[in-house]
Amino acid sequence: MTGAAEKRPRTKPAEIRRDELMDAAEALFLRKGFATTSVGEIVVEAGVAKGTFYLYFKTKDDVLDALRTRFIEGFCEKLDMALAAADRDWPDRIDIWVRTSVNAWLDSVARHDLVFHQHAPANREMKADNLVILRLASLLEQGAQAGAWTIDHPRLIAVMLFDALHGAVDDHLASKNPVGRATLIGLVTSFYRRALALAHD
């Protein structure tokens, strides 16, 4: 191997470098807060030059946007995998949706609060573009087409069901005497089944 070849810089693929910057930023945001973290600290944490940061992001707000997108995509992936493993029993699919959603949320509270509480666009925008709501609406529409339940406006129903789950989990987290996780999942599942006029245990 020639000396020139040995000195050739080793670069990482752009996707890996971007992920490393996001990982570094997320660790700092969680540790010391978004507002008090600087771009300089992010690049030190990631072990890159400051100029490298600006190849991928304009500001740290852009990093938070990317972290929010990654969180939602990861959440949706868990839902998709759980539903893919389910049978075609529609009530069971609703149960799986609730159980997976509540568990995924409670298992990542700090990251959820970071990307949604630190970064808060208007609620109307969030509802319009929310991939979780769109997936739930699709599930409701498919169930209606299969005759599992009768509903009009599946997307609007999905928004209401999503907000019910969201509110229940938020209350659970804020409560000084919360119910157990299994009880919470059972209560939300029962609410979903009643809302869709399904038999419940």
Side-chain angles (χ1 to χ4, degrees):
M1 182 179 291
T2 66
E6 291 175 350
K7 294 179 180 179
R8 186 177 300 154
R10 296 179 179 178
T11 58
K12 295 182 179 180
E15 290 184 2
I16 293 178
R17 182 67 77 192
R18 185 174 186 272
D19 283 343
E20 288 179 346
L21 282 165
M22 289 171 62
D23 291 342
E26 182 178 70
L28 286 166
F29 294 161
L30 290 172
R31 189 160 68 239
K32 57 179 298 187
F34 173 78
T36 56
T37 297
S38 68
V39 171
E41 290 172 312
I42 293 172
V43 298
V44 169
E45 182 84 5
V48 300
K50 198 167 188 178
T52 302
F53 177 91
Y54 293 106
L55 293 175
Y56 302 96
F57 305 102
K58 293 181 180 179
T59 66
K60 66 177 184 178
D61 295 86
D62 290 341
V63 184
L64 195 58
D65 284 338
L67 288 172
R68 176 172 172 263
T69 297
R70 186 168 74 175
F71 180 90
I72 294 172
E73 289 176 347
F75 193 98
C76 288
E77 183 178 356
K78 291 178 182 178
L79 287 170
D80 292 344
M81 290 177 62
L83 289 172
D87 58 30
R88 298 302 298 178
D89 178 73
W90 288 100
D92 184 54
R93 292 171 75 81
I94 290 297
D95 295 353
I96 289 172
W97 173 276
V98 172
R99 183 169 62 251
T100 303
S101 295
V102 173
N103 281 328
W105 193 339
L106 292 179
D107 289 342
S108 55
V109 172
R111 291 176 58 235
H112 171 277
D113 289 353
L114 167 67
V115 298
F116 287 106
H117 292 186
Q118 298 271 9
H119 173 79
N123 285 336
R124 291 188 183 92
E125 295 175 11
M126 292 182 69
K127 291 293 190 299
D129 300 329
N130 191 306
L131 295 178
V132 179
I133 291 176
L134 292 176
R135 276 169 167 74
L136 180 54
S138 177
L139 177 63
L140 295 177
E141 185 171 7
Q142 292 172 35
Q145 291 173 352
W149 45 71
T150 302
I151 58 171
D152 295 321
H153 310 293
R155 187 186 172 283
L156 184 56
I157 298 298
V159 170
M160 290 188 283
L161 290 175
F162 174 83
D163 281 350
L165 186 147
H166 192 288
V169 174
D170 268 349
D171 183 76
H172 172 81
L173 293 171
S175 176
K176 294 181 179 179
N177 187 29
V179 299
R181 182 181 294 210
T183 300
L184 174 64
I185 291 172
L187 289 169
V188 177
T189 299
S190 178
F191 177 84
Y192 269 52
R193 282 177 168 254
R194 288 176 184 274
L196 296 172
L198 296 171
H200 52 88
D201 298 331

